[in-house]
């Protein structure tokens, strides 16, 4: 029975009531355009909707235009009525009005009923919910959806659309869409403002002190936009989780269906995480006791929704994770893991998370401890601390937590850390909400030990090497010295054997392997944690093996082997401290340290060479006593280093001791004696003691020729030194054939482009220059410069030597403009490599000053001569031949300035030095005497 038009007069439902509201989308425009057709369409619409509502006991309590307001006793009947109405409307022909699309909304609650009408918040809410929808869509409130889940219409499902704001209502609504066979299901976003989707990330997981990573976050965003799948890989404690959470925080508005974080370390954790997602989304299956069913329901929801982010954190077993990754849908999956290979999950390459950079690490410490106002000294200490911690975020957090809690200064903590290392870091375990560095890595270490004893040995040995660019050759060439597990693993000598050995370490990101360069790296803190957990006995075993491996792999430092030496020398330097500490293989250690020292001095890395040779000397003396031949080798190495540093007196003392040990222990004719004689001769020559230098080098030459034959490179070395001494002494004609012989031997033995050939060419050119044969000298100098620049690089001191020689020839030829940049470049290079106090700088200063004098640029020449004189007097003493050479140059300047008395005094001083050193008939003496006589005549007149 009905009363007012369209309103049912039967008794309305009471108590808890479900309301269904509907209206026609865009009806106002259609009425304006097609009034007659709309009248017909509306009559059909009303008939179909009324029939569907009546069939499911719906009570129509109001119609407003084309809108229906109906009440039901149960939400199931309302949902069934909505499905029936939409299906009927969909089967009908509304083409006259270009289709008719009806939207519907359902809500359940208690309402006031008066005179067959309903009032109250529940009615207002369903009306507002209706305005969010699109034509053909059926929306349900959260409470209606919860009730329908108990007994849904056949084949009907619910899709969560997230929380939305309802106009003029305070509380947002969790909105669901009713989906059933035959109903349209693809609609645009709802028409209201959406509340952010669920944020299923535990607050405790996020640090408020996140720093940097901007480039990584940008690359992560790009990959997720393009592929919807990405992985962050790296060492435990490197910041993978925090980077993932920071990404989620920044892009939360893009994930309106929610952000879901799951601890993916275990299958149990994954299952628990998906159950929590199902509960958060209010899925029907969430209450099931069958967890597999709940997980499947959550995966299905993810597969049919698009705007979500799923973070699977610490997924270190990619095989276990695979079934928990949605196979469809356009949501984003972000995996964090120590592993880096996830190709089977649609991720071609994981993004590696590295350490913070230096500035970011320091900023983190200041921010975390609240000490942005730190003094410069404290800032320096903080910078050193971050470097010692390897900029590892977890270690920085532990250190900062302890500093903040204890009130310690950065400098005090740094000092304590350098004594206690990992033990001090662990003091913060009660102050952080997550595992400490040691605990984070402990399980990985155990897993590697279990999976591959050989890989575990590699890791333990790596703890005593330099952390970066550990060369495969240490293991491939030294395999037999590294213990049975490694030797067995590398018994197949193909290119993949080392990669296979490293796989268990790479899996947990305990190393960073680079197959292209055939190297890998280990984080500094991984090394420290491993060393801290290693007993004295085990530590000595690993260091002994490492020394043996490097002795087997480090070649003699010949020019052709420089690239391999360069790869290995950082590990020799790092190992030296531990070999000293454990007293491991002193004889073998001395040999490999000697090779590395010689390589370092060849590369002009004199400070490193000195430190290594001094440690080698200490180890060898302690092991064998002060008079052992191995001690003499260390002394000889150190003497050469001092000579390169311009510390000639120290070089002489070291070399004389080495010579005495060798003569006593090995006999006067041993090749090692010849080596010491050769080095000592160079030192005497450098100090202007040419007669003694000649005696020593001739003795060395006899020993070498007798033992090695006339054409050996070591014989050429002694011949070249003898020729230099003769030339310095003024015996140019005797020096010339020796220099020519040396060039021939070295070119034949070493090839035309070897740096030792360049040295021989320069020595030959020196003789030609001193004989006045400038064209021949120029050609040789230019060739020598080309060789050393190509072989040793533009800043090597030998390049400066060649530049200086060529500059002097240009001055002799009157090409002053060409000479100047050569002297300037030589000076700059030497200053960069050797320091501002090295005596070799004087060569460049004197050469440039002479060029200025010849151009009458006296004011520019004067400070150069004065600085050169100061450098040489301080390093060589006031009576050295090179000091005399500088005095002659300064005297020529004073003469040009017409300061004749000063010039005469300088010439007389230079002459006295040269007369003590040079042969009586040397033409250089005649030139100086002529200048002295001329100036005496001027000053007397």
């Amino acid at each position: 029975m009905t009363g007012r038009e369209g309103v049912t007069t039967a008794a309305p439902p009471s108590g808890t009531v479900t309301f269904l509201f509907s209206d026609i989308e865009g009806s106002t425009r259609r009425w304006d355009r097609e009034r007659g057709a709309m009248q017909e369409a509306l009559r059909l619409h009303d008939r179909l909707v009324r029939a569907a509502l009546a069939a499911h006991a719906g009570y129509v309590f109001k119609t407003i235009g084309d809108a229906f307001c109906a009440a039901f006793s149960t939400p199931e009947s309302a949902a069934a009525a909505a499905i029936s109405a939409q299906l009927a409307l969909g089967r009908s022909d509304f083409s006259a009005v270009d289709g008719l699309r009806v939207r519907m909304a359902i809500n359940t609650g208690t309402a006031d009923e008066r005179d067959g009408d309903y009032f109250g918040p529940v009615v207002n809410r369903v009306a507002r919910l209706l305005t969010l929808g699109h034509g053909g869509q059926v929306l349900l409130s959260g409470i209606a959806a919860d009730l329908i889940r108990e007994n849904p219409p056949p084949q009907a499902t619910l899709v969560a659309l997230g929380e939305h704001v309802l106009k003029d209502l305070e509380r947002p609504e969790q909105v669901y869409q009713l989906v059933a066979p035959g109903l349209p299901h693809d609609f645009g976003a709802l028409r209201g403002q959406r509340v952010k989707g669920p944020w299923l990330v535990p607050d405790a997981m996020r640090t408020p002190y996140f720093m940097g990573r901007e480039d990584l976050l940008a690359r992560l965003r790009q990959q997720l936009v393009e592929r919807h799948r990405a992985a962050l890989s790296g060492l435990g404690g490197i910041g993978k989780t925090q980077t993932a959470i920071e990404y989620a925080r920044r892009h939360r508005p893009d994930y309106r269906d929610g952000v879901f974080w799951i601890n993916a370390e275990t299958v149990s954790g994954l299952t628990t995480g998906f159950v929590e997602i199902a509960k958060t989304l209010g899925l029907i299956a969430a209450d099931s006791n069958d967890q597999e069913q709940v997980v499947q329901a959550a995966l299905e929801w993810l597969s049919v929704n698009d705007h979500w982010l799923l973070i699977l954190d610490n997924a270190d077993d990619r095989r276990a994770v695979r079934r928990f990754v949605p196979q469809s849908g356009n949501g984003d999956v972000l995996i964090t893991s120590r592993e880096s290979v996830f190709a089977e999950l649609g991720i071609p390459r994981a993004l590696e998370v590295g350490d913070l950079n230096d500035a970011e690490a320091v900023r983190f410490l200041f921010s975390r401890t609240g000490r942005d106002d730190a003094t410069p000294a404290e800032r320096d200490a903080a910078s050193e601390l971050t470097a010692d911690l390897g900029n590892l975020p977890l270690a920085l957090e532990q250190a900062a937590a302890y500093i903040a809690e204890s009130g310690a200064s950065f400098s005090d903590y740094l000092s304590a850390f350098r004594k206690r290392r990992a033990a001090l870091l662990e003091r913060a375990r009660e102050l952080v909400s997550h595992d400490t560095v040691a605990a984070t890595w402990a399980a990985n270490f155990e897993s590697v030990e279990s999976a591959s004893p050989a890989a575990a040995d590699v890791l333990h040995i790596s703890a005593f090497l330099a952390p970066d660019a550990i060369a495969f050759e240490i293991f491939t060439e030294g395999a037999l010295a590294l213990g049975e597990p490694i030797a067995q693993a590398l018994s197949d000598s193909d290119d993949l054997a080392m990669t296979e050995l490293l796989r268990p370490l790479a899996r947990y990101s305990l190393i960073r392997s680079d197959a292209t360069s055939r190297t890998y790296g280990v984080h500094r803190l991984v090394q420290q944690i491993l060393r801290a957990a290693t007993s004295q006995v085990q530590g000595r075993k690993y260091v002994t093996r490492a020394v043996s491996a490097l002795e087997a792999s480090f070649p003699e430092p010949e020019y052709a082997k420089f690239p391999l030496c360069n790869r290995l020398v950082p590990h020799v330097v790092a190992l030296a401290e531990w070999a000293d500490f454990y007293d491991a293989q002193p004889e073998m250690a001395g040999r490999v340290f000697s090779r590395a020292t010689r390589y370092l001095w060849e590369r002009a890395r004199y400070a490193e060479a000195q430190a290594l040779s001094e440690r080698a000397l200490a180890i060898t003396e302690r092991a064998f006593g002060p008079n052992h031949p191995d001690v003499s080798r260390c002394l000889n190495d150190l003497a050469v280093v001092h000579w390169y540093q311009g510390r000639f007196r120290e070089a002489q003392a070291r070399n004389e001791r080495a010579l005495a040990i060798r003569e006593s222990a090995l006999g006067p004719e041993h090749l090692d004696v010849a080596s010491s004689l050769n080095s000592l001769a160079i030192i005497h020559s450098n100090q202007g003691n040419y007669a003694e230098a000649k005696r020593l080098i001739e003795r060395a030459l006899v020993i070498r020729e007798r033992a090695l034959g006339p054409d050996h490179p070591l014989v050429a070395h002694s011949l070249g030194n003898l020729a230099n001494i003769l030339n310095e002494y003024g015996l140019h004609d005797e020096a010339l054939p020796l220099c020519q012989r040396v060039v021939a031997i070295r070119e034949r033995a070493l090839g035309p482009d070897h740096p030792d050939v360049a040295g021989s060419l320069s020595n030959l050119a020196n003789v030609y220059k001193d004989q006045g044969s400038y064209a021949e000298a120029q050609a040789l100098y230019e060739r020598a410069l080309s060789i050393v620049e190509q072989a040793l690089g533009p800043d090597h001191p030998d390049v400066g030597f060649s530049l200086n020689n060529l500059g002097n020839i240009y001055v002799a030829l009157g090409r002053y403009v060409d000479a100047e940049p050569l002297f300037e470049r030589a000076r700059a290079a030497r200053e960069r490599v050797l320091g501002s106090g090295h005596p070799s700088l004087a060569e460049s200063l004197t050469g440039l000053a002479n060029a200025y004098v010849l151009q009458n640029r006296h004011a520019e020449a004067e400070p150069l001569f004065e600085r050169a004189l100061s450098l040489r007097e301080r390093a060589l003493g006031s009576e050295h031949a090179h000091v005399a050479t500088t005095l002659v140059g300064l005297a020529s300047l004073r003469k040009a300035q017409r300061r004749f008395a000063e010039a005469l005094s300088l010439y007389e001083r230079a002459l006295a030095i040269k007369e003590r050193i040079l042969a009586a008939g040397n033409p250089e003496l005649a030139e100086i005497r002529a200048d002295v006589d001329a100036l005496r005549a001027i000053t007397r007149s």
Side-chain angles (χ1 to χ4, degrees), residues 559 603 751-762 765 777-796 798-807 810 822 825:
Y559 172 62
R603 304 302 294 169
D753 297 322
H754 194 284
D756 286 357
V757 171
S760 302
L761 292 170
S762 293
Q778 178 184 338
L780 291 170
Y781 282 143
E782 287 173 346
R783 183 182 163 200
L785 176 60
S786 175
I787 292 171
V788 292
E789 277 190 306
Q790 182 67 31
L792 305 177
D795 284 349
H796 195 279
D798 285 1
V799 173
F801 177 72
S802 293
L803 289 166
N804 219 73
N805 286 335
L806 190 56
Y810 286 164
L822 299 179
R825 186 180 154 201

Side-chain angles (χ1 to χ4, degrees), residues 347-380:
I347 303 170
R349 186 181 183 89
L351 299 173
E352 183 176 356
V353 182
D355 300 319
L356 297 175
N357 65 39
D358 294 344
E360 291 166 350
V362 171
R363 282 206 314 274
F364 175 87
L365 274 189
F366 290 152
S367 176
R368 177 66 177 82
T369 58
R371 299 188 185 180
D372 290 327
D373 58 348
T375 64
E378 278 290 271
R379 289 182 176 275
D380 289 343

Side-chain angles (χ1 to χ4, degrees), residues 590-643:
R591 288 198 298 270
V592 71
F593 296 167
S594 177
R595 286 179 219 157
T597 295
R598 282 180 277 146
Y599 168 74
L600 288 169
W601 85 48
E602 291 284 2
R603 304 302 294 169
R605 293 162 61 177
Y606 303 127
E608 295 170 82
Q610 179 185 336
L612 187 58
S613 59
E614 285 175 344
R615 189 179 290 278
L617 177 60
I619 291 171
T620 309
E621 279 191 308
R622 186 173 63 240
F624 303 116
N627 297 315
H628 193 276
D630 285 1
V631 171
S632 70
R633 181 192 59 230
C634 298
L635 287 166
N636 206 71
D637 289 343
L638 193 52
V640 174
V641 174
H642 286 329
W643 180 83

Side-chain angles (χ1 to χ4, degrees), residues 237 356-357 360-362 364-365 368-369 382 385-387 389-403 413 425 437 525:
L356 297 175
N357 65 39
E360 291 166 350
V362 171
F364 175 87
L365 274 189
R368 177 66 177 82
T369 58
L385 177 57
T386 59
L389 293 171
N391 293 349
L392 183 80
L394 180 54
L396 293 169
E397 166 65 18
Q398 286 179 234
Y402 184 92
I403 290 168
Y413 187 93
L425 273 183
V437 169
L525 278 182

Side-chain angles (χ1 to χ4, degrees), residues 4 7-17 19 59-61 71 109-123:
R4 299 188 309 272
V7 179
T8 303
T9 58
S14 59
T16 299
V17 179
F19 297 95
Y59 172 77
V60 179
F61 63 89
T110 58
D112 295 332
E113 185 265 324
R114 294 195 304 271
D115 298 329
D117 201 353
Y118 291 88
F119 304 91
V122 68
V123 178

